[in-house]
């Protein structure tokens, strides 16, 4: 039951992918240990510079000889104007004061062309370093990029939040599709329709996608254990991608306050916000989210707002103050544990087998 | 696998409850046929007068000798003031004009005491008619009501959208709990926290509730077939409650435009709105929802707004115009079919058994 087209294509033992969480969470230890334990470790390289990526790949190759993957953000055009930046900074001023932070007047807001250039350099490294699996969020790369990666025999995974997005991903020639349910932590991956229309729960999303594409479907969002894995398989998925469950593992690079935050949180404290980055994302409700609530729909788009809040998030982290950190989490914090990756994966598989024997039959 | 504490307590063959959809959808034929097919048929009596309830029970008793249940709304105090009503009517004026509808100036807005009185009469009928199962939405009835129903050997089911609500339902002495995921169509059942905090996907909600209560858990929201039933069981639920899947059955009392609307809809067209009733609910995006979008957070609470929009919904229905009808639906419209209740239930069970044999093992 746990060996299927997904595990074959990815050349892994168990149908479990560690979500490519960005922002330093996917440490080399975490990625390598997931692959060493039979899953697929993924580098969350969305925000990484080409040289950082190269360095991490080198580190990981020392820690595992198994397949690992990488995730990149597909750049999207965005609006940016000085007035919006000024007013966003003004809104953030009281928070800067609480952190004794002088607001940076020389923000380097990237242009779309900057991002596109970085993306192409990232792609080049993926090919040069022969990373066997590459997944994408926030869109579908150009035909040229997809063809080039496929010529290099790299397995491609897209990320969809609706049936329509999954269909487009299949049409583009990608090999597998991760479907991100509304339960998922961190940034929403919708790229065709708006935020509200793309918040579909996994129980609805998985079977509807499965009925409409032929490539293997991987369920993501709120899955933390063998129950979630088996439920996803019943819905027609071939496996799962899990973020928060790996985030709280001892090997992950997440800040200890982030891990503790998830461990203490309840599902009704995990909310959606666009105040951190300009893109809707799910995390633990904290002072920042609450204070920004009334203004959040008028803030600049991603990645502009993300650049503007960077100093706040850094200062909050540096001061060990969780109030203004982005504490991303899926909707199942009550199921989180601090444990090693090895224990997590072993427990998922043994629980899945137990369900197979006792609950189902 | 499909016989458990839930089916024993409810004295049914299959762990499938037909959701008690209000507003005329749960016709006597639908309710009776669900029970005759081995599930639990439920009367959606929330908006029904005591005499309407008595009449429907009589009808159903002619159609089935099996267990049927009933659902009631637990009344909650609400604010109402003339200015809010005036401004809500003003907002609705352009829509009234589109429907050639004179706005009713003599609206009979019920008071909390009116609703409480009706609720107690409804409870009295449930006991007099010896309805064996009674479920509740929007809250937990008083200790006195629960004790009285239990003295009459009526099995009680609560509706929860978060773990905390499920725990309170168990503490109140109810026998089972329906957990309503964010996928669910119609009105949200949250009664402790706000709307946003209570939108938890089933993949997250079910296992977290199961870990925190001892009474049987029933999954609801977006479940349409054997895949959803088996997935729910893997997550730890004992069974499912399904709304939209029964709404499109030939026996249901839903308007044909409502059934057709679901059949044509995609998951990304099913949205949340409070414009119809003052309470957040999920349905097919139509002209009414789009036109009210900008004002919806400032409208009066339930049931005030519900009373104000009643003439609009009625006129729209009467004119066979789906633009201003409340076309409630869960997030899985692509899985909907027009079929008989008997076929639906037979197919769910045979698909569940097939998954049990092929996918899982």
């Amino acid at each position: 039951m746990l060996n299927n087209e997904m595990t074959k294509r990815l050349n892994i033992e168990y149908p479990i992918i560690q979500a490519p969480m960005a922002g330093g969470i996917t440490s080399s230890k975490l990625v390598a240990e997931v692959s060493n334990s039979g899953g697929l470790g993924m580098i969350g390289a969305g925000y990484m510079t080409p040289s950082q990526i190269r360095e991490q790949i080198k580190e990981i190759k020392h820690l595992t000889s198994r397949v690992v993957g990488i995730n990149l953000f597909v750049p999207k055009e965005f609006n940016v104007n000085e007035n919006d930046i000024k007013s966003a900074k003004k809104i953030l001023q009281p928070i800067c004061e609480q952190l004794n932070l002088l607001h940076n007047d020389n923000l380097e807001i990237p242009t779309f062309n900057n991002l596109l250039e970085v993306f192409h350099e990232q792609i080049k490294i993926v090919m040069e370093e022969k990373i066997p699996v590459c997944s994408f969020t926030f869109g579908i790369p150009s035909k040229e990029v997809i063809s080039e990666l496929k010529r290099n025999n790299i397995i491609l995974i897209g990320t969809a939040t609706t049936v329509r997005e999954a269909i487009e991903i299949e049409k583009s020639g990608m090999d597998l599709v991760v479907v991100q349910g509304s339960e998922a932590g961190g940034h929403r991956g919708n790229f065709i329709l708006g935020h509200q229309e793309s918040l579909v729960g996994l129980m609805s999303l998985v079977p509807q996608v499965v009925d409409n594409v032929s490539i293997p479907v991987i369920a993501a969002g709120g899955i933390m254990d063998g129950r979630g894995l088996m439920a996803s398989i019943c819905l027609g998925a071939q496996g799962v991608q899990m973020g928060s469950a790996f985030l709280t593992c001892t090997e992950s690079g997440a800040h200890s306050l982030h891990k503790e935050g998830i461990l203490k949180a309840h599902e009704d404290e995990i909310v959606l916000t666009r105040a951190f980055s300009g893109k809707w994302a799910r995390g633990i409700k904290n002072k920042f989210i609450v204070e920004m609530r009334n203004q959040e729909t008028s803030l600049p788009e991603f990645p502009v707002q993300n650049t503007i809040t960077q100093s706040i998030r850094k200062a909050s982290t540096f001061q060990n103050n969780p109030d203004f950190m982005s504490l991303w989490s899926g909707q199942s914090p009550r199921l989180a544990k601090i444990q090693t990756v090895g224990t997590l994966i072993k427990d998922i598989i043994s629980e899945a087998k137990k369900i197979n024997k006792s609950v189902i039959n």
Side-chain angles (χ1 to χ4, degrees), chain A:
Chain A
M1 103 218 176
L2 300 175
N3 289 300
N4 52 37
E5 204 184 331
M6 170 191 168
T7 55
K8 257 180 255 166
R9 287 206 189 187
L10 296 174
N11 193 22
I12 53 178
E13 194 177 351
Y14 303 125
I16 298 171
I17 300 178
Q18 161 249 309
M21 298 164 279
I25 296 170
T26 62
S27 65
S28 300
K29 264 191 186 172
L30 177 70
V31 175
E33 201 49 28
V34 173
S35 291
N36 284 333
S37 303
L40 180 67
M42 294 282 289
I43 304 171
Y47 298 125
M48 285 163 72
T49 63
S51 66
Q52 287 172 325
I53 295 178
R54 219 183 274 277
E55 201 173 318
Q56 181 160 26
I57 292 172
K58 204 174 287 177
E59 254 181 42
I60 291 171
K61 284 182 176 169
H62 278 115
L63 299 170
T64 186
S65 56
R66 301 217 188 168
V67 172
V68 300
I70 192 165
N71 175 269
L72 302 176
F73 296 165
V74 180
K76 200 189 149 221
E77 300 223 39
F78 55 92
N79 294 316
V80 52
N81 78 61
E82 280 307 317
N83 280 341
D84 290 354
I85 295 174
K86 236 184 231 167
S87 86
K89 279 186 176 178
K90 205 176 151 196
I91 290 169
L92 293 165
Q93 194 50 43
I95 289 171
C96 290
E97 281 161 21
Q98 289 178 65
L99 286 163
N100 296 313
L101 188 67
L102 290 174
H103 219 306
N104 185 359
D105 283 325
N106 303 310
L107 281 178
E108 284 188 33
I109 311 256
T111 64
F112 172 63
N113 281 334
N114 294 152
L115 296 179
L116 209 56
E117 209 175 294
V118 171
F119 180 68
H120 287 291
E121 285 180 60
Q122 291 173 328
I123 293 285
K124 216 177 116 203
I125 295 173
V126 170
M127 293 188 295
E128 286 172 2
E129 297 286 340
K130 300 189 191 306
I131 297 294
V133 178
C134 186
S135 80
F136 296 95
T137 343
F138 309 142
I140 299 175
S142 67
K143 278 182 190 171
E144 293 70 32
V145 167
I146 290 183
S147 306
E148 214 178 341
L149 288 165
K150 295 197 82 157
R151 267 198 303 278
N152 283 267
N153 296 315
I154 295 168
I155 301 284
L156 306 182
I157 308 178
T159 309
T161 62
T162 58
V163 175
R164 220 194 311 172
E165 288 176 351
I167 291 172
E168 291 304 318
I169 284 168
E170 178 169 51
K171 273 192 201 158
S172 78
M174 296 211 223
D175 303 287
L176 304 100
V177 59
V178 166
V179 302
Q180 184 193 38
S182 53
E183 296 91 341
H187 284 99
R188 303 289 312 150
N190 56 299
F191 59 92
I192 295 183
L193 287 181
H195 164 63
Q196 285 299 339
E197 286 73 11
S198 311
L199 275 170
V200 185
L202 272 187
M203 192 67 89
S204 285
L205 186 57
V206 174
Q208 292 181 99
V209 170
V210 165
D211 288 351
N212 284 285
V213 301
S214 307
I215 54 176
V217 170
I218 299 154
I223 299 165
M224 306 286 279
D225 56 24
R227 293 177 288 187
L229 170 60
M230 289 305 287
S232 302
I233 289 176
C234 288
L235 292 174
Q238 299 212 358
V240 295
Q241 177 170 292
M242 309 196 310
S244 312
F246 285 111
L247 190 154
T248 60
C249 280
T250 49
E251 294 91 340
S252 109
H255 194 287
S256 59
L257 288 173
H258 192 170
K259 295 185 187 184
E260 285 163 25
I262 294 179
L263 253 71
K264 283 186 298 192
H266 290 168
E267 77 294 345
D268 52 16
E269 293 158 328
I270 308 295
V271 296
L272 289 158
T273 182
R274 65 184 292 279
F276 281 112
S277 70
K279 200 189 269 295
W280 287 98
R282 190 182 288 288
I284 303 170
K285 195 198 280 184
N286 61 3
K287 206 172 172 188
F288 183 82
I289 293 177
V290 172
E291 290 189 1
M292 298 294 286
R293 182 116 297 174
N294 292 332
Q295 281 109 344
E296 76 183 333
T297 49
S298 60
L299 299 170
E301 299 183 59
F302 183 87
V304 182
Q305 179 71 0
N306 198 51
T307 309
I308 299 174
T309 65
Q310 194 172 32
S311 57
I312 289 173
R313 288 177 284 123
K314 272 196 179 164
S316 190
T317 306
F318 189 74
Q319 295 172 24
N320 274 311
N321 176 359
D323 288 349
F324 307 102
M325 290 165 64
S326 54
L327 304 169
W328 304 140
S329 169
Q331 288 193 308
S332 309
R334 293 180 191 252
L335 308 181
K337 287 178 193 168
I338 301 273
Q339 58 190 345
T340 64
V341 165
T343 306
L344 171 62
I345 292 185
K346 202 176 55 133
D347 286 356
I348 292 172
I349 299 302
S350 76
E351 191 180 22
K353 288 183 178 168
K354 212 175 106 188
I355 289 171
N356 193 20
K357 277 196 191 158
S358 68
V359 178
I360 308 280
N361 288 295

